[in-house]
Amino acid sequence: MPNATLESGDDPKYALLFGSVVALGLPSNAASLWILVRRHSLQSPCVIFMVNLAISDLMLVATLCTRVYFYATGVWSLGNMACVWITMLFRNNIRSSSIFITFISVDRLLAVVYPLRFRHLRTASNACRAAALVWLFVVAVNVEEGLEFSAFLIKLNESACFDFRERPPRMSAITYFQPALVLTMLAVNVASTALVSLTLRTRSRSQARIKNKVNVMLIFAMNLAMFAVFFLPVSMEVFFGEESWNKFHKSLVCLASVNCCLDPLLYYFSFDGFWKRKEEMDACTTRG
């Protein structure tokens, strides 16, 4: 299929925005992943979920390089299959990140509210199994989704990606999977935040525990902010009309991609023990 230059594709503003995300997200997530694997033993469920979150973000950053090229030149020369894979990886980041962030919230909930009752569930082996199921789950969803999107690209018959002459069709029930997933994960985070907040309020307010409580609640507040700002808006665009979708789609995708830059700051560096070895302080298992 011949290359084509799209008038709407040549957009230096978005090339700069996505380029900034790559410049910030690549080194920060790579450094976070290295620190988590090198300086923390993978025996904590929280660390395992963070490692998978960093991997998800790094995969997203890798795909954003193609968006930078496309919006800088207006030319897409990689073909339809590459467009399908890149689009699916972006959607997988929203889904896998929302699930892993929710797992972190639930792990904190169990550590704070039920420190002994569910201790047997908070194991590295269970966390690895859960992470593997998440990846299998999001990839399985891509099968039908990818086939539908590929058929749309063939029907469209233009060598382009990200900017199309018409909106991709709503793909049966799978179209509403992402908003349903994000809303469900958001509800779990809200419930977890409420339960942890209530539990911390009923505990003794000794001066030695004030900082610990603030750090715990900060993690939950940041989780909710990630959903409200980055995951929810782009997931709800399936309900937009044609005009609204054309107007806001690129901005929402750009906004959603920023989550990969903030994950290391919001979740990794918020722990006092992030820079310390596990023998000194296992930040994920002692927060409760």
Side-chain angles (χ1 to χ4, degrees):
M1 187 176 293
N3 298 341
T5 301
L6 298 182
E7 189 174 319
S8 60
D10 189 0
D11 195 333
K13 175 181 67 176
Y14 284 101
L16 178 61
L17 291 174
F18 283 115
S20 299
V21 173
V22 172
L24 293 174
L26 180 59
S28 60
N29 280 284
S32 297
L33 182 61
W34 184 87
I35 293 170
L36 285 169
V37 173
R38 186 66 182 269
R39 301 183 67 86
H40 292 267
S41 173
L42 297 180
Q43 298 300 316
S44 163
C46 189
V47 171
I48 291 172
F49 295 143
M50 286 182 173
V51 166
N52 282 274
L53 184 60
I55 292 173
S56 176
D57 289 337
L58 285 173
M59 289 193 296
L60 173 65
V61 170
T63 68
L64 294 182
C65 297
T66 60
R67 291 182 184 265
V68 174
Y69 177 80
F70 174 72
Y71 286 118
T73 64
V75 175
W76 181 257
S77 57
L78 299 179
N80 287 348
M81 187 56 65
C83 182
V84 171
W85 279 102
I86 291 169
T87 303
M88 294 304 106
L89 282 174
F90 171 79
R91 295 178 183 177
N92 279 350
N93 173 260
I94 301 296
R95 296 161 185 172
S96 60
S97 293
S98 64
I99 295 174
F100 287 127
I101 288 172
T102 302
F103 280 175
I104 293 172
S105 292
V106 172
D107 179 72
R108 296 297 82 225
L109 167 68
L110 298 180
V112 173
V113 181
Y114 309 104
L116 299 178
R117 184 183 306 178
F118 294 105
R119 189 177 183 87
H120 64 287
L121 295 179
R122 298 178 57 244
T123 64
S125 59
N126 285 340
C128 289
R129 292 190 191 99
L133 287 175
V134 170
W135 290 116
L136 289 174
F137 178 65
V138 296
V139 170
V141 172
N142 286 158
V143 175
E144 179 181 353
E145 191 176 40
L147 290 174
E148 293 281 354
F149 188 61
S150 179
F152 163 74
L153 293 178
I154 294 174
K155 179 181 177 181
L156 198 61
N157 193 31
E158 66 180 28
S159 181
C161 196
F162 314 128
D163 275 347
F164 305 113
R165 289 183 286 103
E166 60 184 76
R167 177 180 181 173
R170 295 182 176 180
M171 296 169 280
S172 64
I174 201 70
T175 303
Y176 303 100
F177 166 75
Q178 182 162 310
L181 173 68
V182 171
L183 286 173
T184 301
M185 296 297 102
L186 176 58
V188 174
N189 276 271
V190 170
S192 299
T193 302
L195 287 172
V196 170
S197 177
L198 180 62
T199 300
L200 293 180
R201 287 180 182 179
T202 59
R203 288 185 175 180
S204 59
R205 299 188 177 183
S206 61
Q207 195 69 22
R209 298 187 65 83
I210 290 179
K211 183 179 180 181
N212 190 46
K213 292 181 180 181
V214 170
N215 286 347
V216 170
M217 291 312 303
L218 180 62
I219 294 171
F220 283 95
M222 290 186 294
N223 287 348
L224 295 178
M226 290 290 287
F227 275 88
V229 177
F230 302 113
F231 300 151
L232 195 58
V234 73
S235 299
M236 291 296 107
E237 69 173 3
V238 298
F239 301 106
F240 291 179
E242 185 78 24
E243 183 177 348
S244 297
W245 188 88
N246 290 331
K247 184 177 181 180
F248 298 111
H249 174 68
K250 284 193 293 186
S251 298
L252 291 178
V253 169
C254 188
L255 178 64
S257 67
V258 176
N259 85 85
C260 70
C261 298
L262 299 184
D263 279 337
L265 298 176
L266 298 179
Y267 300 104
Y268 306 155
F269 293 99
S270 63
F271 292 109
D272 294 336
F274 183 77
W275 294 102
K276 299 180 181 180
R277 293 187 181 275
K278 186 179 186 301
E279 305 86 64
E280 301 174 49
M281 180 186 296
D282 188 343
C284 293
T285 58
T286 60
R287 285 296 171 194

